[in-house]
Amino acid sequence: MSRVLVVGAGLTGSLCACLLRRKMQSKVQITVWEKCHGAGGRMCTSSSPDDPNCTADLGAHFYAELSSHGILRPLLAPVEGMAMTEEGTRNFVAPKGASSIVKHYLRESGAEVHFCRQVTHVQRKGPGWEVCVEGGQAESFDAVVLTVPVPQILQLRGDVPSLIEGSLRQKLEAVSYSSRYALGLFYKAGTQINVPWAMKYFEGDSCIRFISVDDRKRDMGSPSSGPSLVVHTCVTFGLNHLEMAEGEVKTLIMAELQKILPCLPEPTSVEVRRWRYSQVVNVVDGSLGQITLHLSPLLVCGGDGFTNSNFDGCIESALKVVEILKSSL
């Protein structure tokens, strides 16, 4: 049985683990390591510290399967200011939060999942790879899949730098991401958010790009749980304030929010989230969903940086990575 490590418990990583289990079944032992405290990556869902049922999607904005499990359903709530999309495009919402999509795939994979494990080194040891995490712990694997943002791949030590040389390094260094902040505002039960929409995009604002009444978006409001509001900043604001202390950023965003919605009630708590790698602006040129750094033992990179920064791009990358794994293990 081959031991496969998937680094990153976001959409691409969780889907890779799930598809690998379905296609290779008992031939692989799958482990997932995630540096954060929970699954989801940029599809994270946060909860109010006072009410776990009051949630907010602070992350990024196989459909039939997800719909059949109740994880996705068509978006029916009113949206203002959304850019026109291709004819026939359908919009979906995750009733239990965006992270429920990732958690579904992780459950289906049967993988051994560990959080708070930030990989620092990947190096050859015998017939496989020795992977070290911050703090010095190390384990050996027959294959490793890296689904973290491209700049984090470039920071890895061990044998990775020598595998990324010349034109390949230039391609990876050319990948760029937009940066944003997300703010989650949580309210006590019975609070009314008096706006006529569930979501709204704001053109031309120097700070705020998008606001969502998250419980209304998911149609999951409950008398016992309060509403939640999500605010995403625009790309320019994220870039200009990327290194500012989160407390100071929160003050700026809240001041701008007060101008846009002056009658907004006082929240019980506010969470700010910095997304240094929000959406991919320039992907890896010619990667077609993945790049194989080493074939035997296998070390492969995937994620939206190798396709495009949306749900379908992550699916495409996961499918390509699993093809490589099937032919190599």
Side-chain angles (χ1 to χ4, degrees):
M1 182 180 290
S2 298
R3 292 196 76 204
V4 179
L5 173 66
V6 178
V7 181
L11 180 56
T12 304
S14 63
L15 188 51
C16 277
C18 178
L19 293 175
L20 189 58
R21 170 66 64 210
R22 292 178 182 179
K23 292 181 180 294
M24 300 193 70
Q25 298 182 6
S26 60
K27 295 180 181 179
V28 290
Q29 180 183 340
I30 307 168
T31 301
V32 177
W33 284 358
E34 166 60 45
K35 72 171 185 176
C36 297
H37 294 276
R42 282 167 282 167
M43 299 185 73
C44 76
T45 302
S46 295
S47 299
S48 165
D50 305 307
D51 180 3
N53 294 317
C54 181
T55 61
D57 287 332
L58 295 185
H61 293 280
F62 307 132
Y63 298 110
E65 175 192 342
L66 293 172
S67 296
S68 68
H69 283 81
I71 296 167
L72 284 184
R73 68 183 182 195
L75 175 64
L76 302 177
V79 183
E80 290 189 13
M82 180 182 288
M84 295 297 292
T85 56
E86 295 181 11
E87 186 177 351
T89 297
R90 297 180 67 195
N91 294 308
F92 290 85
V93 64
K96 296 181 181 179
S99 65
S100 64
I101 299 171
V102 173
K103 292 174 182 177
H104 166 76
Y105 287 132
L106 288 176
R107 285 194 301 270
E108 290 287 305
S109 74
E112 183 181 304
V113 183
H114 297 277
F115 300 112
C116 301
R117 292 198 180 183
Q118 182 169 353
V119 172
T120 58
H121 295 70
V122 180
Q123 54 201 24
R124 285 290 302 274
K125 185 175 182 180
W129 297 104
E130 182 179 71
V131 185
C132 302
V133 299
E134 198 171 63
Q137 182 180 352
E139 289 188 37
S140 296
F141 298 90
D142 299 296
V144 176
V145 179
L146 303 174
T147 67
V148 298
V150 174
Q152 294 179 359
I153 294 175
L154 290 168
Q155 293 169 9
L156 292 174
R157 289 167 281 172
D159 290 334
V160 174
S162 64
L163 296 173
I164 303 175
E165 295 179 331
S167 61
L168 176 55
R169 175 167 290 277
Q170 291 176 356
K171 286 183 178 182
L172 295 180
E173 289 178 344
V175 175
S176 61
Y177 293 76
S178 63
S179 300
R180 297 177 187 267
Y181 283 92
L183 215 63
L185 286 72
F186 302 97
Y187 297 88
K188 64 182 180 181
T191 303
Q192 297 296 316
I193 307 295
N194 295 316
V195 295
W197 35 264
M199 293 172 281
K200 184 171 181 177
Y201 291 85
F202 295 85
E203 288 287 349
D205 191 274
S206 61
C207 176
I208 293 175
R209 176 70 180 100
F210 171 81
I211 299 176
S212 166
V213 185
D214 247 35
D215 58 302
R216 190 181 300 174
K217 174 187 74 177
R218 296 194 294 266
D219 193 25
M220 292 289 287
S222 167
S224 61
S225 295
S228 60
L229 200 75
V230 170
V231 180
H232 284 268
T233 66
C234 65
V235 172
T236 303
F237 181 91
L239 180 64
N240 291 338
H241 300 83
L242 187 58
E243 305 304 334
M244 182 178 283
E246 290 187 354
E248 295 178 26
V249 170
K250 180 172 74 172
T251 300
L252 292 176
I253 301 172
M254 289 294 290
E256 186 65 23
L257 181 62
Q258 183 65 29
K259 295 177 185 177
I260 294 175
L261 300 176
C263 296
L264 199 63
E266 188 71 21
T268 58
S269 62
V270 179
E271 179 178 345
V272 62
R273 186 71 63 95
R274 177 192 286 120
W275 293 111
R276 185 175 297 274
Y277 308 114
S278 175
Q279 288 184 299
V280 181
V281 178
N282 296 306
V283 302
V284 179
D285 184 39
S287 62
L288 301 177
Q290 62 83 32
I291 280 184
T292 301
L293 298 182
H294 198 275
L295 193 57
S296 183
L298 184 65
L299 177 60
V300 59
C301 306
D304 57 358
F306 300 87
T307 50
N308 55 73
S309 197
N310 58 25
F311 193 93
D312 289 336
C314 292
I315 292 175
E316 179 185 347
S317 178
L319 290 169
K320 295 292 186 182
V321 169
V322 171
E323 284 181 15
I324 300 295
L325 284 162
K326 282 181 60 183
S327 63
S328 302
L329 297 179

